Amino acid sequence: MKKNLIIVESPTKSKTITRFLGKNYAVKASMGHLRDLPKSTLGVDVENDFTPKYINIRGKGDLIRELKAEAAKADKVYLATDPDREGEAISWHLAHILGLDDKSPCRIEFHEITSGAVKEALKHPRPINMAMVDAQQTRRIIDRLVGYKLSPLLWRKVRKGLSAGRVQSVAVKIIADRDKVIDEFVPEEFWTIKTKLREEAGAPLFEAEAVKKDGNKLEMHNAREALAVENDLKQAAYKVEAAFRKKVSRRALPPFTTSTLQQEASHKLNFTTRRTMMVAQQLYEGISIGKSSAGLITYMRTDSTRLAAEAVDAVRELVKQDFGDKYCPEKPNVFSNKSNAQDAHEAIRPTSIERKPEEIEPFLTKEQYRLYKLIWDRTVASQMAPAEFEQTALTIGAGAYELKATGSVMTFDGHLCLADKKDLNAEKQTEVPFIKSGTVLTLYKVLPGEQHFTEPPAHYTEASLVRKMEEEGIGRPSTYSPIIQTIQTRGYVVRDGKKLMATELGVKVADMLTGHFGDIINIPYSARMENELDAIAAHQVEKEKTLADFYKPFEQLLEEADRVIPKDPPPLQLSGEKCELCGKDMVIREGRFGKFQACSGFPQCHNTKPLLVTIGVPCPKCGGEVTQRRTKTGRVFYGCEHYPECDFTSWDRPTDKPCPVCGKQLLERTEGNGRIKYFCSDPECTNAAPKRVGRRKKVTTASLIEGETADTEKKTAKRKTAKKKRTKKTGSRKKGAGNAVKKAEE
């Protein structure tokens, strides 16, 4: 008896689906794409409507033969790849390889891997959606044209081995522009002054901040000005001039889209976008829970906040049972999508809200549990009543000065009952008594003025870059994570903690591409291209027209850039040091992580070592130059150029700002949320940085710098070993070729 064959993309998904279906079905995995454009050539015939020349991917021959054999034995073949453009294209390639008619009902689609969803999909097979395939092919062809046409230009003009991408270059430019703003930012000093007041003796105290003087905004730029305001406030009489009290509510946030899941997982779980999508894929494809197996969440590549009506009903019922009727609003909460959202799939939600995180925790890894709980909590909270607050605002007159006192107290937690304790603690609940206008107040104390510095915008993190790309319409849910991974892999961007920073190489490449190809490598064009792809998928635009409209101006820009950009690479710069191995001059070269010193005798001598990069700030201990270095794991730290005579080292960046307490240098620390704080470099000062919580291995300047040098030596040794292996391998190949010729002659 013949079986029906279902082809999915991953082995995990095939195992999960096999458990749902009977013996009449066989489920196999294609392991992603089986056909693609060739790596060795362009693979696109630009003269004949940009026809792609697909070939079977090398190394997948055995799998293709196995799938062909299974398809030949099957009564019916169903293609069940992911429900997006990429999945549709994989199904189209599979149909071509297996000899299936793509117009026949061979494609099934489901957005959650549950028994009901899979069986329902089998009842409604459809032909392959060629419009979606065309949209995917258009993106693939344009990216191939850009990559294979621009990369050789970079090899000739910048450095061999570089590669270019249409959307990735825009992402690098976004990061580089932010880095430039931060580097050029000049902090400005300002002060704030608060007072402690009360209505009468024994009444509760509350704080009020001085905000105006003579009707204008109060500005204090130094300690002297702040002291003058302090003295004035000590002599002033205080009276309430206006009082307001109102109730405000805060609605629940919508359920997760791909973008918001990546951002929230970064903020709360410290996950990278890649890690988030990898764990989400595991939850989607299926987890064994006891004797059963099912996908725990719906498809995780989506830009919609919509929930299915059945899911909404199930969530509302759970809220009533577990939290009470007052936590469930009268009508379901409805959230609007963004204007450019495709709304092809639901928001990311649990496939069954009855599977509570704590009940299935024993069957999940730690990462799977944390991400599932994040999704479960957000889905349930999205259908809960708003949190309610009572806000009080007082405007207080004090002679020529005006002060403000604001307070907010939560009166009903609503959806915030599912928030983390950390998030609830971050809610600034400040009680300010409601005091009628005209009431005279008593001054308890004028608090010492606080010194502040204006802060530059924060460096992009993976989360904020995803948000920026979504806001600008760059990429789609399935592309955010690959874009971020690609620009890091190519060495155009590096991570420092959570911060993303463009390397010198990244800035150079991005400036060159956006400078000479600014008409197609920019934010507006990238967003417009995404809309074009959406239009192709919706049968509104022809693929060939979009490709022609792109390629003609691109080809002209390419010819112009090749003619204008200087061909000769800049001469190597001497570092001023001699190689300790062979005695030749050391020169400054550039790698994926920036500049380094290398022996000018390369390739005979492979000696390399770090290039000391000064930051223009004196050492707090000896007054020498502070240098920026990297540990062997890539983390940035700061040390004195006079090591080992001076042992100064710091994870925090030294600045030239004076400490307001003792006058010594301040250190700049970027917190996990991107905010910048300043601490004194003297550990004995009251303004010194708090000690880090938890046990941490003691790190000294010597261990950091020696580790950096040792890491360079390890890389050199590794290169030598690899070279020996390559030589040995090449020799054996030559010997084998010689034997083959000898046998042929015989």
Side-chain angles (χ1 to χ4, degrees), residues 167-281:
V167 181
Q168 294 91 330
S169 299
V170 176
V172 174
K173 182 64 173 173
I174 290 172
I175 296 170
D177 288 346
R178 175 65 62 85
D179 291 348
K180 185 178 180 181
V181 170
I182 294 171
D183 291 341
E184 295 176 351
F185 183 81
V186 179
E188 294 182 5
E189 182 181 2
F190 70 98
W191 290 69
T192 58
I193 293 180
K194 294 180 180 179
T195 62
K196 282 198 171 185
L197 305 169
R198 57 186 172 191
E199 187 174 358
E200 57 188 14
L205 294 168
F206 62 93
E207 288 187 359
E209 181 180 345
V211 293
K212 288 185 179 181
K213 182 180 181 181
D214 296 327
N216 299 315
K217 182 181 177 182
L218 177 61
E219 295 183 352
M220 297 169 283
H221 301 290
N222 51 54
R224 184 176 298 174
E225 293 178 2
L227 184 61
V229 174
E230 275 187 49
N231 292 331
D232 289 345
L233 292 175
K234 288 177 182 177
Q235 309 299 323
Y238 295 82
K239 184 174 73 172
V240 177
E241 294 182 346
F244 302 95
R245 177 185 285 171
K246 63 178 179 179
K247 291 185 178 181
V248 296
S249 59
R250 187 188 305 170
R251 287 191 68 199
L253 293 171
F256 284 128
T257 61
T258 303
S259 166
T260 54
L261 176 64
Q262 291 173 349
Q263 293 172 48
E264 197 73 354
S266 175
H267 293 316
K268 292 188 175 178
L269 309 182
N270 204 26
F271 283 10
T272 61
T273 54
R274 182 181 181 183
R275 190 177 174 192
T276 300
M277 297 310 291
M278 180 183 69
V279 178
Q281 184 83 30

Side-chain angles (χ1 to χ4, degrees), residues 437-475:
S437 178
T439 305
V440 175
L441 301 176
T442 302
L443 174 67
Y444 175 74
K445 182 193 293 184
V446 176
L447 299 176
E450 293 183 11
Q451 183 190 39
H452 308 275
F453 293 93
T454 55
E455 297 178 357
H459 283 281
Y460 277 109
T461 63
E462 289 196 5
S464 59
L465 182 59
V466 167
R467 184 168 61 248
K468 175 68 173 177
M469 288 192 294
E470 185 184 36
E471 289 172 353
E472 299 289 353
I474 302 171

Side-chain angles (χ1 to χ4, degrees), residues 400-567:
Y401 295 92
E402 182 181 299
L403 293 82
K404 289 282 187 183
T406 57
S408 178
V409 178
M410 185 189 297
T411 56
F412 175 60
D413 55 2
H415 65 88
L416 290 179
C417 67
L418 283 174
D420 293 338
K421 290 182 179 179
K422 185 178 179 180
D423 293 336
L424 287 176
N425 292 337
E427 292 285 342
K428 293 183 178 180
Q429 295 200 51
T430 308
E431 286 197 50
V432 171
F434 181 77
I435 303 173
K436 293 181 179 180
S437 178
T439 305
V440 175
L441 301 176
T442 302
L443 174 67
Y444 175 74
K445 182 193 293 184
V446 176
L447 299 176
E450 293 183 11
Q451 183 190 39
H452 308 275
F453 293 93
T454 55
E455 297 178 357
H459 283 281
Y460 277 109
T461 63
E462 289 196 5
S464 59
L465 182 59
V466 167
R467 184 168 61 248
K468 175 68 173 177
M469 288 192 294
E470 185 184 36
E471 289 172 353
E472 299 289 353
I474 302 171
R476 284 294 181 258
S478 60
T479 65
Y480 298 142
S481 181
I483 288 170
I484 293 173
Q485 294 308 312
T486 299
I487 60 179
Q488 292 182 70
T489 303
R490 289 176 177 170
Y492 298 155
V493 169
V494 293
R495 284 187 60 185
D496 179 15
K498 281 191 173 184
K499 295 185 292 186
L500 294 177
M501 293 180 289
T503 61
E504 192 169 342
L505 176 63
V507 173
K508 185 183 295 184
V509 171
D511 285 347
M512 191 189 97
L513 293 179
T514 54
H516 294 277
F517 299 88
D519 291 343
I520 60 172
I521 298 180
N522 58 38
I523 290 177
Y525 185 87
S526 298
R528 192 163 66 250
M529 179 56 68
E530 294 298 337
N531 293 330
E532 284 274 315
L533 296 175
D534 293 343
I536 293 171
H539 300 271
Q540 296 171 353
V541 176
E542 292 296 324
K543 175 184 71 172
E544 291 75 18
K545 182 181 183 304
T546 298
L547 289 169
D549 290 346
F550 162 79
Y551 189 67
K552 288 178 182 177
F554 173 65
E555 197 173 28
Q556 294 172 359
L557 291 171
L558 197 63
E559 292 175 359
E560 177 71 16
D562 200 22
R563 188 174 64 255
V564 173
I565 302 175
K567 289 185 178 181

Side-chain angles (χ1 to χ4, degrees), residues 655-708:
T655 71
D656 52 5
K657 301 184 184 75
C659 173
V661 177
C662 68
K664 294 185 178 179
Q665 278 179 256
L666 287 176
L667 302 177
E668 179 186 284
R669 175 180 296 180
T670 304
E671 301 290 331
N673 58 6
R675 295 191 62 186
I676 296 176
K677 292 187 177 180
Y678 295 92
F679 301 100
C680 185
S681 57
D682 185 357
E684 303 300 324
C685 178
T686 56
N687 191 34
K691 292 183 178 179
R692 298 182 184 273
V693 180
R695 297 181 63 184
R696 184 181 290 271
K697 185 178 179 181
K698 187 176 180 181
V699 180
T700 62
T701 308
S703 66
L704 286 171
I705 298 176
E706 287 169 5
E708 183 184 40

Side-chain angles (χ1 to χ4, degrees), residues 91-160:
S91 285
W92 179 68
H93 287 302
L94 279 168
H96 180 273
I97 289 172
L98 301 178
L100 304 177
D101 182 4
D102 54 38
K103 297 181 178 60
S104 66
C106 60
R107 175 83 164 106
I108 61 172
E109 182 179 326
F110 39 80
H111 302 104
E112 57 184 65
I113 303 178
T114 59
S115 178
V118 173
K119 290 177 180 177
E120 184 64 25
L122 285 168
K123 296 177 183 178
H124 306 285
R126 60 169 175 80
I128 291 173
N129 187 332
M130 285 308 300
M132 291 181 68
V133 175
D134 285 346
Q136 189 274 344
Q137 285 193 92
T138 304
R139 180 192 292 278
R140 185 75 182 94
I141 291 170
I142 288 177
D143 289 345
R144 171 56 68 100
L145 291 171
V146 171
Y148 275 53
K149 295 286 187 178
L150 279 185
S151 295
L153 181 70
L154 292 178
W155 301 344
R156 295 192 298 271
K157 308 298 184 180
V158 182
R159 198 186 78 197
K160 287 185 177 180

Side-chain angles (χ1 to χ4, degrees), residues 612-620 623-628 638-639 641 653-657 665:
L612 296 182
V613 180
T614 59
I615 64 172
V617 174
C619 172
E625 284 280 354
V626 174
T627 62
Q628 178 180 300
Y638 302 91
E641 65 172 342
R653 184 185 181 95
T655 71
D656 52 5
K657 301 184 184 75
Q665 278 179 256

